[in-house]
Amino acid sequence: MGLTEILILISVLSFHSLAVAINDFLGKSNLETYIVHVEFPEYSDIQLSSSSGPNEDLDSWYRSFLPTTFASSNEAPQIVHSYHNVFKGFAAKLSAEDVKTMEKKPGFISAQPQMLLSLHTTHSPNFLGLHQNVGFWNESNYGKGVIIGVLDSGIAPDHPSFSDEGMPPPPAKWKGKCQFNTSACNNKLIGARFFSDGNGSPMDEDGHGTHTAGTAAGNYVKGANVFGNANGTAVGVAPLAHLAIYKVCSPGCSESDILAAMDAAIHDGVDILSLSLQGGSGPFYADNIAMGAYSAMEKGIFVSCSAGNSGPFNRSLSNEAPWILTVGASTIDRKIRTSAKLGNNEEFNGESLYQPKDFPPALFPLYYTGMNQSDFNSGYCGSGLLNDTGVLGKIVVCDNGGGVSRIAKGQNIKSSGGVGMILINQLSQGYATSADAHVLPATHLSYTDGVKVLAYINSTKSPMGSISFKGTIIGDHQAPLVAAFSSRGPSRTSPGILKPDIIGPGVNILAAWHRSVENNSNTKATFNVISGTSMSCPHLSGVAALLKSVHPDWSPAAIKSAIMTTADIVNLAKNPIEDQTLLPANVFATGSGHVNPAKANNPGLIYDIEPKDYIPYLCGLNYTNREVSHLVQRKVNCTAESSIPEAQLNYPSFSIVFGSSIQKYTRMVTNVGEAKSVYTVKVAPPAGVNVTVKPNTLSFSEVNQKLTYEVTFSLLASSANNTVSQGSLAWTSAKYSVRSPIVALFGATQRF
Ligand SMILES: *[C@@H]1O[C@H](CO)[C@@H](O)[C@H](O)[C@H]1NC(C)=O
Ligand SMILES: *[C@@H]1O[C@H](CO)[C@@H](O)[C@H](O)[C@H]1NC(C)=O
Ligand SMILES: *[C@@H]1O[C@H](CO)[C@@H](O)[C@H](O)[C@H]1NC(C)=O
Ligand SMILES: *[C@@H]1O[C@H](CO)[C@@H](O)[C@H](O)[C@H]1NC(C)=O
Ligand SMILES: *[C@@H]1O[C@H](CO)[C@@H](O)[C@H](O)[C@H]1NC(C)=O
Ligand SMILES: *[C@@H]1O[C@H](CO)[C@@H](O)[C@H](O)[C@H]1NC(C)=O
Ligand SMILES: *[C@@H]1O[C@H](CO)[C@@H](O)[C@H](O)[C@H]1NC(C)=O
Ligand SMILES: *[C@@H]1O[C@H](CO)[C@@H](O)[C@H](O)[C@H]1NC(C)=O
Ligand SMILES: *[C@@H]1O[C@H](CO)[C@@H](O)[C@H](O)[C@H]1NC(C)=O
Ligand SMILES: *[C@@H]1O[C@H](CO)[C@@H](O)[C@H](O)[C@H]1NC(C)=O
Ligand SMILES: *[C@@H]1O[C@H](CO)[C@@H](O)[C@H](O)[C@H]1NC(C)=O
Ligand SMILES: *[C@@H]1O[C@H](CO)[C@@H](O)[C@H](O)[C@H]1NC(C)=O
């Protein structure tokens, strides 16, 4: 089972059934891996013996939780990972009885069977406005000196994208390891680790990890292309940043390994963590990635995560903690075009990466297996198609989705003697198409065009069609367009924080691959074009590395604020950014908008958040003292500390949930622009809401000066329950516009 198939699964199964499916696939032993959370009793300092180091003491304390007798199973419980940095706890192989025994020990908090997570591709730096020797790329020194930790499926270390030509040695603070056999690591690839399920090496057996690492910080490789398409110089967003690889997926991503990797990365000294992984969504004290990310953020590490590939449905987000940058996916202005022509002369443009030179332009019979309305699955071209003799010599029309990957559909057609494929979107997938490495001539069409193809097939006894190839086309002015698969808000865990935060390139991205795609094996520099929020996340990790290189003193929240308040809200045609329906996308699809790296470098004002500011926020979520204490890893008494509503966190965007009809919040902005500067506020209120800001002018006289303002949201008229409206608040000066989106949610919201 490859990762691409797991990705498809996650869109049709719930997260739990996915984990079960993977467990069945892996074959289970009696013992399961549990993530165990523990605390020092009453948070009094535990009496650790002074002879050994603190980590050894922690480890032996963790071991004291393991039962010494084990009744039903004859396998001894055993610790798989001891965590030192992410939180107090460990991963252990345990039986359900072992857990029951442990529950009685003082200091025990919880033990849950680990989840298995799924992984969520170069023209994109140019699309982001990054150009050689000029502007922000030059100014940021291409991310020089910054270390990006990538948690993924490992890496192909000999790929030219990871050559260390032109790279300085790693900074002195680096304490990581290279667990490859030989001298595979270098000044680009400064570390590579694997964890218990890693098949004994950080080697990438899937391609996904090689791709995400290459996207974030790959070196320059000339003449990169796939099947001759998208030909050009491949390069990551931060080509002079170092890479530290943590292999946590092989192929499933084990939660205990992810935590062990975050634990190691915090110790090793990474600056940025990039996680293109999708788990579930739940309260932050029960979300292990959110907890690990909190500890990382506290040490100044910027954590960038994919929003998930479960769109376009509402409330489909993961990785939504406010200390994480949650990244959605959008298109770039490159299309790899193929088109379908029908017997009635109608022609539709679609996409495919595979562009054979020798495919005849002739008309072939068209065949659609999905005409039978009562057989729900018949149009998906799944494995059942292999017995269909009607496919021979025809171009087969397939419905997108149905748990069959786009490439697998083509493989089924080819195996049955079909000559080509027209892949048509379902309604929810709208106009969003991908250029995939198909195994036969194919074109991926929009829903609207698909409807016309089907109507034609239905209108004639012997429908005919052809596929033609038009190569790489740059200059799609609808870009960036939000991908159909990009997960949408609102956040179910904390609806008072607007998520996702940002969108970035995640459709048809070309980057390094671990082996040749299909049979194109005549070159060592192999690349692939793939899509997902997995691809947009490392773009933002790269942008964060560039910003960190220029502004080493900016906190993770400051970097995030700079990225969000300067984001673009219009496409290349200067119209509002659209989604897969070709209508303006809402903020639950775009967050603050599309990343603009050069503007993020000079945002004027920033909304900063210190680690301690999250405590009143967590108390305000009505988490217990124990839950908050464990999450932040120190004793917290919410009654004694202050408690704030979610929207009061100094976040660079606003999500206002209307229960009470008047809500007042304060925000603090820090001047990182010119010393003497005057900003005035411009508000575009959401429909049905009155927004007033006091004061409406902010006058700064020095750099790093902080000023506060108060913003009042009041309901003008009662709006229908479960509706939303959106607007914005921007502080503008002669030079800057510091923009925050506002979303208003009316009526009760679902919350965990
Ligand atoms: C590139 O950056 C260097 C150092 O920051 C600067 O001296 C030089 O003028 C920049 N070049 C261009 C073309 O912007
Ligand atoms: C590492 O070395 C061992 C022993 O020499 C060998 O069996 C193994 O295949 C090597 N692994 C890799 C990834 O080169
Ligand atoms: C890619 O572009 C380079 C430089 O323009 C050219 O030399 C090479 O032949 C091209 N490769 C393909 C496969 O088009
Ligand atoms: C998502 O929510 C928006 C705003 O409430 C609503 O207009 C839209 O129909 C919803 N979409 C889906 C797929 O439910
Ligand atoms: C349509 O599909 C249903 C359910 O699979 C099947 O029972 C029926 O025979 C099919 N009809 C035709 C005309 O193929
Ligand atoms: C083809 O048909 C045979 C007999 O009905 C069945 O056993 C087999 O599983 C089918 N193959 C596929 C790929 O559906
Ligand atoms: C790849 O090679 C295999 C075996 O030689 C062949 O069957 C297959 O058709 C080739 N695939 C492509 C896309 O050329
Ligand atoms: C095909 O045409 C028939 C009759 O015109 C119509 O009832 C049916 O809905 C059509 N099916 C599709 C899939 O368009
Ligand atoms: C927390 O509890 C208070 C008091 O019961 C309530 O007003 C508030 O809405 C709750 N907050 C959340 C996030 O549930
Ligand atoms: C928390 O603080 C409140 C108010 O200061 C105090 O009454 C209470 O005893 C404290 N709780 C704990 C567990 O320390
Ligand atoms: C909005 O609120 C302000 C201040 O409370 C008030 O002066 C103004 O009249 C309100 N606007 C509307 C349309 O209600
Ligand atoms: C919204 O729902 C609540 C209860 O769920 C109800 O009391 C209220 O009247 C509804 N408001 C509107 C405007 O429909």
Side-chain angles (χ1 to χ4, degrees):
M1 184 182 277
L3 287 165
T4 29
E5 283 157 85
I6 290 175
L7 257 182
I8 305 303
L9 272 176
I10 199 148
S11 57
V12 283
L13 304 174
S14 71
F15 190 78
H16 180 71
S17 49
L18 172 72
V20 170
I22 294 174
N23 276 334
D24 288 350
F25 167 74
L26 295 172
K28 260 200 273 191
S29 102
N30 277 339
L31 303 186
E32 265 190 284
T33 302
Y34 280 76
I35 312 283
V36 182
H37 291 260
V38 297
E39 66 185 351
F40 295 146
E42 286 303 303
Y43 273 81
S44 60
D45 290 339
I46 194 166
Q47 293 308 305
L48 299 171
S49 69
S50 50
S51 52
S52 48
N55 286 348
E56 285 74 17
D57 286 342
L58 264 183
D59 295 349
S60 66
W61 179 55
Y62 292 161
R63 279 193 299 275
S64 75
F65 282 87
L66 297 186
T68 47
T69 53
F70 28 100
S72 69
S73 144
N74 48 10
E75 287 176 82
Q78 128 198 22
I79 290 195
V80 186
H81 297 294
S82 282
Y83 302 126
H84 303 138
N85 302 306
V86 282
F87 49 71
K88 303 277 181 300
F90 53 93
K93 294 222 193 271
L94 300 168
S95 68
E97 287 76 15
D98 295 336
V99 172
K100 283 220 178 71
T101 312
M102 278 180 17
E103 280 169 359
K104 300 189 189 98
K105 309 225 173 193
F108 174 90
I109 297 181
S110 67
Q112 292 293 329
Q114 73 166 339
M115 297 193 298
L116 285 168
L117 283 70
S118 63
L119 289 164
H120 284 205
T121 290
T122 0
H123 168 64
S124 48
N126 289 354
F127 182 67
L128 293 178
L130 300 171
H131 301 282
Q132 207 60 38
N133 301 324
V134 294
F136 180 42
W137 233 2
N138 176 59
E139 216 176 303
S140 67
N141 236 325
Y142 310 89
K144 194 170 179 172
V146 178
I147 304 171
I148 305 179
V150 181
L151 272 66
D152 211 297
S153 64
I155 197 157
D158 56 354
H159 194 285
S161 288
F162 311 118
S163 136
D164 71 351
E165 198 186 327
M167 291 292 302
K173 66 167 184 172
W174 175 242
K175 289 195 279 180
K177 281 191 201 163
C178 183
Q179 294 180 319
F180 278 116
N181 273 356
T182 51
S183 54
C185 292
N186 58 27
N187 286 335
K188 164 60 71 184
L189 185 58
I190 60 172
R193 292 186 188 238
F194 67 96
F195 298 87
S196 48
D197 290 338
N199 294 343
S201 156
M203 186 64 80
D204 183 7
E205 290 121 32
D206 178 82
H208 193 279
T210 300
H211 201 277
T212 53
T215 299
N219 215 330
Y220 301 87
V221 184
K222 288 189 180 137
N225 64 76
V226 184
F227 303 150
N229 292 302
N231 186 28
T233 298
V235 62
V237 173
L240 289 188
H242 306 282
L243 282 165
I245 303 302
Y246 300 85
K247 180 179 177 182
V248 296
C249 307
S250 54
C253 317
S254 111
E255 198 182 11
S256 63
D257 282 359
I258 294 168
L259 289 170
M262 291 178 97
D263 212 66
I266 292 170
H267 164 269
D268 292 351
V270 305
D271 299 300
I272 315 280
L273 268 175
S274 191
L275 285 85
S276 295
L277 304 162
Q278 179 172 14
S281 172
F284 299 132
Y285 58 80
D287 176 343
N288 284 303
I289 290 186
M291 289 190 66
Y294 187 92
S295 294
M297 172 278 296
E298 239 186 337
K299 300 194 172 62
I301 301 170
F302 184 90
V303 185
S304 165
C305 290
S306 50
N309 296 342
S310 307
F313 310 106
N314 289 336
R315 302 171 195 277
S316 52
L317 282 173
S318 54
N319 299 322
E320 57 210 297
W323 47 89
I324 288 175
L325 182 77
T326 311
V327 188
S330 51
T331 61
I332 54 176
D333 63 342
R334 179 180 67 203
K335 295 257 181 215
I336 304 172
R337 190 166 286 169
T338 50
S339 75
K341 196 167 182 179
L342 306 181
N344 64 1
N345 274 329
E346 278 186 292
E347 187 166 4
F348 306 106
N349 282 329
E351 290 193 90
S352 169
L353 186 57
Y354 178 57
Q355 305 239 335
K357 303 254 181 305
D358 54 353
F359 187 65
L363 290 167
F364 290 91
L366 286 180
Y367 181 55
Y368 177 58
T369 58
M371 274 304 168
N372 184 349
Q373 301 285 333
S374 53
D375 182 359
F376 176 71
N377 288 313
S378 65
Y380 291 124
C381 301
S383 56
L385 190 71
L386 292 171
N387 275 346
D388 188 331
T389 50
V391 170
L392 194 68
K394 293 182 183 159
I395 291 175
V396 179
V397 178
C398 302
D399 293 323
N400 193 7
V404 185
S405 83
R406 296 185 296 271
I407 291 172
K409 292 172 198 281
Q411 283 162 340
N412 289 336
I413 296 170
K414 195 174 180 187
S415 308
S416 310
V419 299
M421 170 168 73
I422 297 176
L423 179 63
I424 59 177
N425 271 347
Q426 298 184 47
L427 177 61
S428 68
Q429 298 152 344
Y431 289 85
T433 57
S434 339
D436 296 305
H438 290 295
V439 299
L440 85 179
T443 188
H444 182 183
L445 301 183
S446 71
Y447 171 73
T448 311
D449 291 344
V451 167
K452 293 179 189 152
V453 172
L454 293 186
Y456 162 71
I457 293 177
N458 199 20
S459 72
T460 170
K461 271 216 177 75
S462 45
M464 303 290 284
S466 67
I467 295 174
S468 60
F469 305 93
K470 306 200 163 160
T472 306
I473 293 166
I474 305 267
D476 172 13
H477 282 252
Q478 254 168 343
L481 176 100
V482 182
F485 59 76
S486 189
S487 285
R488 310 293 154 95
S491 163
R492 289 201 284 171
T493 307
S494 184
I497 300 288
L498 176 54
K499 290 276 175 172
D501 293 309
I502 195 85
I503 51 172
V507 178
N508 301 342
I509 303 300
L510 181 143
W513 200 242
H514 69 310
R515 58 169 166 78
S516 300
V517 173
E518 285 303 311
N519 298 351
N520 182 18
S521 56
N522 52 354
T523 162
K524 203 179 169 196
T526 54
F527 292 87
N528 198 3
V529 171
I530 54 176
S531 301
T533 53
S534 277
M535 283 65 246
S536 54
C537 164
H539 277 94
L540 269 294
S541 307
V543 170
L546 299 176
L547 292 169
K548 182 95 187 167
S549 186
V550 196
H551 308 283
D553 57 323
W554 281 8
S555 70
I559 293 176
K560 181 198 255 187
S561 173
I563 290 173
M564 287 170 65
T565 61
T566 57
D568 292 332
I569 56 167
V570 295
N571 61 22
L572 293 182
K574 305 274 178 235
N575 295 319
I577 292 174
E578 296 165 352
D579 64 16
Q580 75 286 345
T581 65
L582 298 191
L583 292 170
N586 74 20
V587 287
F588 292 130
T590 61
S592 292
H594 187 260
V595 60
N596 184 326
K599 278 193 176 167
N601 184 39
N602 195 5
L605 304 176
I606 52 180
Y607 292 83
D608 207 357
I609 303 175
E610 289 178 45
K612 68 171 171 50
D613 300 334
Y614 292 108
I615 292 173
Y617 160 81
L618 291 166
C619 290
L621 288 169
N622 294 339
Y623 294 172
T624 65
N625 288 340
R626 197 177 185 216
E627 287 161 351
V628 176
S629 299
H630 186 56
L631 210 162
V632 307
Q633 293 289 297
R634 66 179 177 81
K635 189 171 181 173
V636 173
N637 178 352
C638 284
T639 320
E641 307 217 16
S642 63
S643 175
I644 56 166
E646 296 154 278
Q648 178 56 54
L649 189 68
N650 202 36
Y651 215 70
S653 57
F654 294 90
S655 180
I656 308 301
V657 183
F658 277 102
S660 59
S661 57
I662 297 190
Q663 298 180 38
K664 230 177 235 189
Y665 300 104
T666 53
R667 286 284 190 274
M668 183 187 279
V669 284
T670 308
N671 180 21
V672 296
E674 282 146 19
K676 285 198 173 28
S677 41
V678 177
Y679 288 82
T680 54
V681 74
K682 284 203 175 113
V683 176
V689 181
N690 187 10
V691 180
T692 54
V693 178
K694 271 191 218 154
N696 53 22
T697 303
L698 294 174
S699 304
F700 293 91
S701 53
E702 43 191 300
V703 174
N704 288 327
Q705 187 183 351
K706 293 176 191 295
L707 291 175
T708 58
Y709 67 91
E710 186 182 82
V711 51
T712 306
F713 301 93
S714 51
L715 213 48
L716 286 174
S718 70
S719 294
N721 279 337
N722 298 319
T723 59
V724 301
S725 68
Q726 63 185 62
S728 65
L729 181 161
W731 289 98
T732 58
S733 72
K735 196 168 168 194
Y736 300 105
S737 172
V738 186
R739 182 182 182 277
S740 297
I742 302 171
V743 67
L745 295 95
F746 306 107
T749 54
Q750 286 170 28
R751 166 192 290 280
F752 284 119

